[in-house]
Amino acid sequence: MPARRTDDTERTASVTHLLALEAAGELTPHSLRTVAAAHGRSIKSVKRWMQRARDNDGRYQRKQRDATEVTPRMEEELIRWCGSIAAAHRTLRNDGAMPLSYSAFHRAVTRTYPPSFLDGLRGGEKARRQHDLWGSDRDRGRRNDAWEADHKEADVWVNVDGTARKPCLTLIVNCSNTGICGWAVTPHTPSSQAIIVTIHSALQRGGDHGPFGGIPKLIRVDRGADFLSKAVGQTMAALGVTRVELPPRRPDLKPYVEATNKGFKDMLFRGMPAYTHRPSTDPAGDPKPPPLEDLRTFEQFTAEVRDFVYRWNHVYRSRSLGNRTRLEAWKADHNVIHDLPPGALRRSFPRVSRIFTITNTGIDWNDRTYLKDWMRDHIGTRVHLRHLPGQYATVEVYDAETDQHYGTAHWTNAANSLLLKRVKDANAADRARLEKALNERPRIVGDRYAATTTPEPPRPLTNLTTEQARQRLEDTGHSDPFPSHIAADDDLPEPTSSWTATGRQQPAPDNDDDLPAPTASWLSRRPTTPHPNAPEEDPL
């Protein structure tokens, strides 16, 4: 019968019972055979357990192997080889510092270090986190006790003004029921403007996301620069909302918005035709987007996101909520909802630091002119402005002294769409010209080197001739530092005393008899045309 590894508690109970039977004089061979069969061992092993317990005051304890300690040198090699036990053992064995076999060394390492540490040596912090227990025991709280905000790049290609792009979603989720309180879609990488728009959407109840919203007690964000921006901080502080800044790369600390992001991927993006993670027969994947005519427009994509937000809040049921919809869970929560006071949404916009004066032409700011018909009654009034970051189409105008809101002013001298397209095309042409020049640089300057199989300095490769190189130097205003011919030894000056003292160059010996005879190969390579200053050779 093969041996079966049992728990020490079970073995201890068996040995304790056998010792009790022995003390009472009731121990029989049948009892020993029964215990041995239950543990998959022989009767001799059971008797050995009983003897070990007698030697230990009646308490059974498994015999421990002699543990081999991992020395600092072993640990150093293990770290140097990034957790590779085989490579560390091979290096220590070659250096004569490894008295253990590989199996013994492997047992010592795995007994000393947990799997999370070894995987961390091999794959870094990302691999170590695979062993962490995230758990789901965080108290959800009540509605509007806490929100979580995050960005989510869409896993689909979308036709954005004639260009294939992956838009980004900005979401705010209520932690008590994972209901989406606010959302916004940006055709490119989102900024603080997208966050403020999403916050305003979450503060106002109703609309596409339903009754979810109000003013929360706190909101959890990661350490993205846009979430930590001054404009976002002012918007939250103006409403008394505490911004909790989570440590970087810790998605487990905002699990509810991460679960919502996964819901968008699995329940919406995966069914779209331009899904980026769709399986492909190409081993390298399919990084290129499909043709533009096969993509959804940005308007169609935004409409599908809006419909999904409605279904997420009103239709889909969640097991974690007792198979209820998020709307049902929201209505069952009787926590008090604090709505925005009138005008508080406009006042949460970041304020421009300057003070302006309303003139006959309106308000001039950064070469922009803002005008509205209500300004005719406030000409000469000193005002300050508030607006969304990065959005200059409209501004909110307030009295500089009383902070009274006058109204909204519109930008009147904004460029039309045709002019903006021409500027965009000009920028694209400049970018293409620069890209071509940068790609040509390695070919021109010769930043390429020859492959080698021997230890030697890198040998640069060039495609320029001597004439081309000198012509390029003349075109760039540099002179050629190298002469067109090599001067003879008679034209070189005698070495100075300082040159000789350094040991770099020693003068030629005066006695020609000390020089070795020239070889045949040297004679065959001598120039056929003598130097004009060279003495005539003796024909004899």
Side-chain angles (χ1 to χ4, degrees):
M1 179 182 295
R4 182 174 63 91
R5 182 68 177 269
T6 58
D7 186 74
D8 286 345
T9 304
E10 182 180 353
R11 183 181 295 183
T12 302
S14 300
V15 173
T16 303
H17 179 63
L18 292 177
L19 291 177
L21 293 176
E22 183 182 40
E26 299 177 359
L27 181 63
T28 62
H30 177 72
S31 300
L32 293 176
R33 285 193 299 270
T34 303
V35 172
H39 291 277
R41 299 302 180 102
S42 63
I43 296 178
K44 184 178 180 180
S45 298
V46 175
K47 291 182 178 180
R48 187 169 57 250
W49 299 346
M50 295 175 63
Q51 184 60 39
R52 190 176 302 130
R54 295 189 194 100
D55 298 339
N56 195 28
D57 298 331
R59 294 189 301 272
Y60 171 77
Q61 186 177 5
R62 185 188 295 269
K63 184 179 179 180
Q64 302 293 332
R65 291 184 178 182
D66 295 335
T68 304
E69 295 184 357
V70 177
T71 63
R73 173 67 192 285
M74 296 177 182
E75 181 178 359
E76 180 182 347
E77 291 297 330
L78 191 66
I79 296 175
R80 185 166 74 91
W81 286 100
C82 301
S84 175
I85 301 177
H89 181 269
R90 182 174 57 252
T91 303
L92 293 170
R93 183 187 58 193
N94 295 337
D95 295 344
M98 175 50 66
L100 304 176
S101 63
Y102 173 74
S103 58
F105 179 65
H106 190 280
R107 284 195 303 269
V109 170
T110 54
R111 182 176 56 248
T112 304
Y113 304 105
S116 59
F117 179 77
L118 296 177
D119 287 347
L121 291 180
R122 301 183 187 106
E125 175 63 15
K126 184 177 180 181
R128 187 205 65 79
R129 286 188 179 180
Q130 301 299 323
H131 298 269
D132 289 345
L133 297 177
W134 304 124
S136 57
D137 56 349
R138 170 182 282 178
D139 185 13
R140 285 178 172 265
R142 305 176 68 181
R143 60 183 182 185
N144 286 349
D145 280 351
W147 287 357
E148 291 178 357
D150 195 14
H151 296 308
K152 165 64 178 175
E153 183 184 59
D155 301 309
V156 292
W157 292 103
V158 176
N159 184 354
V160 179
D161 197 15
T163 304
R165 295 184 179 181
K166 291 188 286 187
C168 287
L169 276 69
T170 305
L171 302 174
I172 293 181
V173 174
N174 195 307
C175 296
S176 64
N177 46 50
T178 62
I180 299 176
C181 299
W183 63 279
V185 183
T186 311
H188 46 73
T189 302
S191 62
S192 59
Q193 178 208 356
I195 300 174
I196 295 178
V197 170
T198 307
I199 293 175
H200 289 173
S201 174
L203 294 172
Q204 297 179 0
R205 298 200 294 149
D208 302 324
H209 52 77
F212 300 86
I215 301 178
K217 295 180 181 179
L218 60 90
I219 181 171
R220 301 188 187 103
V221 300
D222 56 23
R223 291 187 176 271
D226 46 3
F227 283 108
L228 301 182
S229 64
K230 182 179 179 181
V232 174
Q234 290 177 352
T235 302
M236 297 178 180
L239 301 174
V241 180
T242 303
R243 180 175 60 180
V244 179
E245 302 171 3
L246 301 176
R249 302 176 185 86
R250 290 299 302 273
D252 58 296
L253 298 181
K254 45 184 178 66
Y256 304 113
V257 70
E258 294 292 343
T260 307
N261 291 340
K262 189 175 185 300
F264 270 89
K265 177 181 179 180
D266 296 340
M267 305 171 67
L268 179 63
F269 300 149
R270 197 184 297 271
M272 291 186 175
Y275 180 59
T276 56
H277 299 296
R278 190 174 301 280
S280 174
T281 56
D282 185 4
D286 190 13
K288 294 184 179 180
L292 290 176
E293 56 270 16
D294 297 338
L295 303 181
R296 281 173 167 79
T297 63
F298 182 72
E299 295 83 358
Q300 294 172 342
F301 176 79
T302 306
E304 293 198 27
V305 171
R306 178 195 59 197
D307 297 339
F308 179 81
V309 169
Y310 178 84
R311 296 194 302 271
W312 179 270
N313 287 345
H314 297 79
V315 179
Y316 298 146
R317 298 183 178 274
S318 174
R319 289 193 300 268
S320 62
L321 299 176
N323 201 30
R324 296 179 299 175
T325 65
R326 292 162 181 84
L327 178 61
E328 293 172 350
W330 174 273
K331 291 181 178 180
D333 192 340
H334 300 290
N335 192 31
V336 179
I337 300 176
H338 300 280
D339 290 317
L340 277 176
L345 191 60
R346 294 190 301 265
R347 294 183 183 275
S348 64
F349 291 166
R351 175 178 171 177
V352 181
S353 59
R354 280 185 51 192
I355 299 297
F356 302 88
T357 302
I358 300 178
T359 63
N360 293 333
T361 58
I363 300 176
D364 294 331
W365 175 42
N366 287 348
D367 297 330
R368 301 180 182 92
T369 301
Y370 294 90
L371 191 63
K372 199 64 178 176
D373 52 1
W374 56 263
M375 290 185 179
R376 66 168 60 94
D377 299 329
H378 301 280
I379 295 178
T381 304
R382 294 167 57 83
V383 296
H384 68 262
L385 307 180
R386 294 179 182 271
H387 72 101
L388 280 173
Q391 181 171 320
Y392 302 98
T394 60
V395 293
E396 301 295 330
V397 184
Y398 293 83
D399 189 277
E401 301 295 336
T402 64
D403 204 28
Q404 176 187 355
H405 181 252
Y406 286 144
T408 303
H410 295 267
W411 183 10
T412 60
N413 61 339
N416 55 35
S417 58
L418 179 61
L419 186 59
L420 291 177
K421 186 178 184 305
R422 294 181 59 185
V423 173
K424 179 181 177 181
D425 294 341
N427 293 337
D430 289 343
R431 183 168 59 251
R433 183 166 59 251
L434 176 60
E435 182 179 359
K436 180 180 179 181
L438 294 178
N439 293 335
E440 288 289 325
R441 182 180 181 276
R443 185 186 64 82
I444 295 175
V445 302
D447 291 345
R448 298 176 62 85
Y449 296 88
T452 180
T453 57
T454 58
E456 61 179 357
R459 292 182 290 109
L461 297 178
T462 179
N463 58 349
L464 296 178
T465 63
T466 303
E467 291 75 10
Q468 291 174 341
R470 288 183 176 139
Q471 183 63 38
R472 191 170 298 279
L473 289 175
E474 293 179 1
D475 295 341
T476 56
H478 296 78
S479 59
D480 184 6
F482 301 102
S484 58
H485 66 280
I486 301 178
D489 293 342
D490 295 342
D491 298 335
L492 297 178
E494 293 294 332
T496 61
S497 59
S498 61
W499 175 267
T500 306
T502 59
R504 299 179 183 177
Q505 176 79 13
Q506 297 295 334
D510 297 335
N511 189 3
D512 294 342
D513 297 338
D514 296 336
L515 296 177
T519 61
S521 61
W522 183 86
L523 293 175
S524 63
R525 296 179 182 178
R526 295 187 63 188
T528 56
T529 303
H531 193 272
N533 297 331
E536 297 182 358
E537 297 183 358
D538 190 355
L540 300 178

